[in-house]
């Protein structure tokens, strides 16, 4: 069993959109729905869990009921932090210890099928993997006053993306331990790392961007226009006008 959890309970304040950014359209299709359709097109995926703010659960269920071709899904309420939202998602589905759970930022709608498959295969093999790309830029480590203290070797640096994939047993243990210790990690892998389980890199691609600021919308739409649209995206084009109108009405 392969389950994908989509944390989508954030406010997206850097987008300055006045709404949860995952409801914003990217070339006419809401970001959240693009992400779900990308995964729904992969045969390896069995089910999906969308984690949103408690006040948005019914709204998201109503939106997704209109979308054709989605894999089986559930919508659950998130927590005060992304980490707690992921844990809510894990505990909302039953499974075996060796089931695979992927965690994917709902705001990364351009994930490729190749990366999804590679992360699933890696999680089965190693128990814990993360999608990543090699750092392009030189990175500086600075102190609190902005003074450079170190220049790490760029060849050893990776920019971490999602999906991040783990066996259910490992991910649940890592989250339960973090909760018991009052530890907040920067990503799911950081929780797994701190319980001593090795996490491997799976090479992704630079198009798998996270839509965070208005500039990312421009970049994301440029990527979309340069590649063939998935069958499921095309299948749902007609309904997107109605869905976008519902979103606008909700936030007016």
């Amino acid at each position: 069993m392969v389950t994908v959890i989509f944390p989508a309970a954030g406010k997206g304040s850097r987008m300055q959109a006045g709404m949860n950014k995952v409801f914003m359209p990217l070339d006419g299709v809401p970001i959240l729905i693009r992400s779900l359709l990308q995964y729904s097109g992969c045969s390896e995926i069995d089910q999906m869990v969308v984690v949103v703010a408690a006040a948005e659960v019914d709204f998201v269920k109503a939106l997704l009921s209109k979308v054709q071709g989605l894999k089986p899904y559930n919508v659950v309420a998130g927590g005060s932090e992304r980490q707690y939202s992921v844990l809510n998602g894990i505990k909302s589905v039953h499974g075996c210890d060796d089931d695979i759970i992927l965690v994917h930022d709902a705001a990364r709608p351009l994930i490729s099928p190749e990366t999804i498959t590679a992360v699933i295969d890696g999680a089965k093999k190693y128990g814990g993997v993360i999608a990543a790309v090699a750092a392009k830029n030189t990175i500086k480590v600075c102190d609190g006053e902005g003074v450079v203290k170190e220049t790490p070797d760029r060849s050893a640096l990776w920019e971490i993306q999602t999906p991040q994939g783990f066996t259910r047993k490992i991910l649940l243990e890592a989250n339960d331990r973090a909760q018991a210790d009052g530890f907040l990690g920067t990503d799911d892998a950081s929780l797994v790392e701190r319980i001593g389980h090795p996490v491997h890199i799976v090479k992704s691609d630079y198009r798998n961007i996270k839509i965070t600021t208005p500039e990312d919308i421009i970049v994301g739409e440029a990527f979309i226009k340069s590649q063939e649209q998935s069958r499921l995206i095309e299948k749902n084009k007609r309904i997107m006008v109605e869905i976008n109108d519902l979103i606008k009405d909700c936030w007016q």
Side-chain angles (χ1 to χ4, degrees):
M1 178 76 72
V2 178
T3 301
V4 192
I5 297 174
F6 296 88
K11 296 180 179 179
S13 56
R14 284 176 288 181
M15 184 61 75
Q16 300 177 345
M19 67 169 72
N20 187 333
K21 66 184 176 186
V22 300
F23 300 130
M24 293 181 62
L26 190 66
D27 194 36
V29 180
I31 293 168
L32 172 63
I33 293 176
R34 274 194 179 276
S35 297
L36 296 179
L37 289 174
Q38 283 296 100
Y39 276 88
S40 293
C42 293
S43 60
E44 299 95 334
I45 302 302
D46 295 301
Q47 60 183 349
M48 306 184 295
V49 180
V50 185
V51 190
V52 298
E56 295 173 348
V57 170
D58 290 341
F59 175 70
V60 172
K61 285 181 178 179
L63 282 186
L64 297 186
S65 69
K66 300 179 179 298
V67 181
Q68 300 180 51
L70 290 177
K71 287 291 178 78
Y73 67 86
N74 191 17
V75 182
V76 301
S80 58
E81 301 285 346
R82 179 188 185 279
Q83 182 173 310
Y84 305 147
S85 293
V86 171
L87 183 57
N88 285 358
I90 298 169
K91 293 187 173 180
S92 72
V93 294
H94 299 289
C96 303
D97 285 350
D98 59 354
D99 284 351
I100 300 301
I101 295 181
L102 307 186
V103 182
H104 185 77
D105 297 324
R108 289 188 190 271
L110 305 180
I111 180 69
S112 71
E114 293 78 13
T115 297
I116 295 171
T117 298
V119 170
I120 293 171
D121 291 344
K124 290 177 179 178
K125 181 177 181 180
Y126 298 113
V129 295
I130 50 179
V133 291
K136 291 182 178 181
N137 300 310
T138 297
I139 306 297
K140 301 287 186 180
V141 178
C142 302
D143 63 17
E145 297 180 352
V147 177
V148 174
K149 294 298 182 182
E150 183 185 355
T151 304
D153 179 4
R154 189 173 64 191
S155 66
L157 300 177
W158 292 80
E159 298 176 20
I160 304 308
Q161 304 175 343
T162 62
Q164 300 189 358
F166 312 90
T167 63
R168 176 184 174 85
K169 179 181 180 180
I170 291 171
L171 187 57
L172 188 56
E173 178 186 350
N175 274 271
D176 284 343
R177 183 87 63 83
Q179 187 174 52
D181 296 343
F183 175 82
L184 275 177
T186 54
D187 67 353
D188 305 286
S190 65
L191 308 187
V192 173
E193 292 159 23
R194 77 184 286 268
I195 66 171
H197 194 284
V199 176
H200 292 251
I201 290 289
V202 169
K203 288 186 179 180
S204 181
D205 63 76
Y206 293 98
R207 293 186 176 220
N208 186 21
I209 62 172
K210 187 175 183 181
I211 307 298
T212 303
T213 64
E215 294 80 8
D216 296 328
I217 294 285
I218 298 171
V219 174
E221 291 188 338
F223 282 149
I224 289 169
K225 287 177 169 56
S226 70
Q227 62 191 28
E228 184 179 353
Q229 294 286 284
S230 75
R231 175 184 58 84
L232 288 178
I233 293 288
E234 292 298 335
K235 184 178 181 180
N236 281 278
K237 280 288 188 179
R238 291 184 180 179
I239 198 64
M240 288 306 147
V241 173
E242 178 184 347
I243 287 177
N244 285 321
D245 285 344
L246 287 172
I247 292 171
K248 288 178 183 177
D249 290 344
C250 186
W251 266 274
Q252 280 182 347

